Amino acid sequence: MTTSPEFEPVPIRVLLPDGEQEVVGRLHARRQLPDGWVYLVSIPVYRNVEDGGVELAEYRMWLRPQDHLKPVAGVSYENVPTERLEPPSVVERLLGPRRPSGWVLQQLGGRRGPVHAVVHTVDCADAPPNAPGLSLDQALAAAERPGVRLCSCAERPPNSTPYWASRPASTQTSRSRA
């Protein structure tokens, strides 16, 4: 998190849960998450102490700015300590996020016919929930058994084009177009 030792929290308006009231709190830090930003804010409150008295306290929480916060006019937020996500690597930018590794076996239970089980990738929408994961060797061994087929998710990586689809139509045989 980029921070300066002399940073003093700045005012920010905090929308209270009733959706109608606002209080001015203090913005302490910002953090970027994969799905957006959260801001560490505090609001002044009172608390009871053991001798029966009341003292000033501060309540801190992480809030999503688009849902709960509004800027205070004339206040600069440029020096607020900010923690940004690491930028994606060149490989991730080019290929996209990695899929989870692993496979699961779906038993088709008592079905008659040529297919008795299907090997799915763990992130396949058709994979059975809570199925135990298979290692690469287990998935390959299962795929070699008669009556087991690979789900289309397991046959090739996402967003890839089959080899035959990238070839000019004049070089494709009738079998490769199937």
Side-chain angles (χ1 to χ4, degrees), residues 44-47 54-58:
V45 294
Y46 293 105
R47 72 173 164 209
V54 176
E55 68 181 9
L56 183 61
E58 178 182 75

Side-chain angles (χ1 to χ4, degrees), residues 146-171:
V148 176
R149 72 170 180 85
L150 295 178
C151 169
S152 60
C153 287
E155 290 175 351
R156 64 177 197 270
N159 304 323
S160 67
T161 305
Y163 169 72
W164 56 263
S166 63
R167 296 173 50 208
S170 61
T171 63

Side-chain angles (χ1 to χ4, degrees), residues 88-139:
S89 69
V90 172
V91 172
E92 190 173 344
R93 282 195 312 269
L94 292 174
L95 300 178
R98 294 185 63 168
R99 290 175 62 176
S101 62
W103 298 267
V104 295
L105 184 64
Q106 178 184 21
Q107 298 290 343
L108 299 178
R111 272 193 158 169
R112 294 187 184 228
V115 178
H116 301 289
V118 180
V119 175
H120 296 276
T121 57
V122 293
D123 62 339
C124 176
D126 296 329
N130 303 320
L134 301 175
S135 68
L136 175 61
D137 290 336
Q138 291 169 321

Side-chain angles (χ1 to χ4, degrees), residues 22-36:
E22 290 181 2
V23 295
V24 176
R26 309 292 282 170
L27 176 60
H28 297 266
R30 300 180 283 205
R31 179 179 293 161
Q32 186 179 23
L33 302 176
D35 63 341

